[in-house]
Amino acid sequence: VQWSFKVYVFLIVYCVFNVAIAAFVHQTTTAHQEDEAERLRQVRRDKQLYVDKLTDLFEDADEDQSGTLTYDEFCAMLKKPALSEQLEELEITVSEAQELWDAID
């Protein structure tokens, strides 16, 4: 009778540990998924902020408020220190902006 009680206790302890481990794994997995979802939301917010800043930058450069940016307006934008600084804040160099214009045009 004594050995069967030891086996019973062992199985109960084993089951309790398995439940505890399963709960820990589930909690860790859930936390990871929530972290990943938050990271993706942050990436989307950052992209939208980047697009908004770029839109504002080009709207400021559109001197005649026509809704389009001419090459002359674009070149004038690149020569203005304030607008060049805004480009640098977006981690875009003047030469990269020029390459972008050439690619789009």
Side-chain angles (χ1 to χ4, degrees):
V1 174
Q2 200 172 24
W3 70 271
S4 62
F5 180 71
K6 289 179 183 179
V7 170
Y8 171 76
V9 170
F10 172 77
L11 289 175
I12 294 299
V13 169
Y14 180 77
C15 290
V16 168
F17 278 131
N18 274 342
V19 169
I21 290 171
F24 175 75
V25 169
H26 175 71
Q27 183 64 29
T28 303
T29 303
T30 302
H32 173 72
Q33 289 171 346
E34 290 171 359
D35 289 346
E36 185 65 17
E38 179 57 34
R39 187 189 68 77
L40 290 175
R41 282 191 294 276
Q42 185 62 41
V43 166
R44 279 190 220 110
R45 282 192 298 267
D46 290 347
K47 283 183 181 180
Q48 187 58 48
L49 182 62
Y50 188 85
V51 168
D52 292 344
K53 285 183 179 182
L54 208 52
T55 300
D56 290 343
L57 184 70
F58 287 126
E59 285 175 351
D60 290 342
D62 183 16
E63 294 173 357
D64 62 3
Q65 302 300 312
S66 64
T68 59
L69 195 64
T70 65
Y71 183 72
D72 292 333
E73 290 172 329
F74 180 75
C75 289
M77 172 190 81
L78 295 178
K79 292 178 183 174
K80 293 180 182 175
L83 293 176
S84 293
E85 289 173 10
Q86 287 177 337
L87 277 175
E88 289 175 14
E89 286 178 18
L90 295 172
E91 298 179 359
I92 300 173
T93 64
V94 171
S95 62
E96 289 172 334
Q98 185 64 47
E99 289 173 16
L100 177 63
W101 178 272
D102 293 339
I104 292 172
D105 188 32

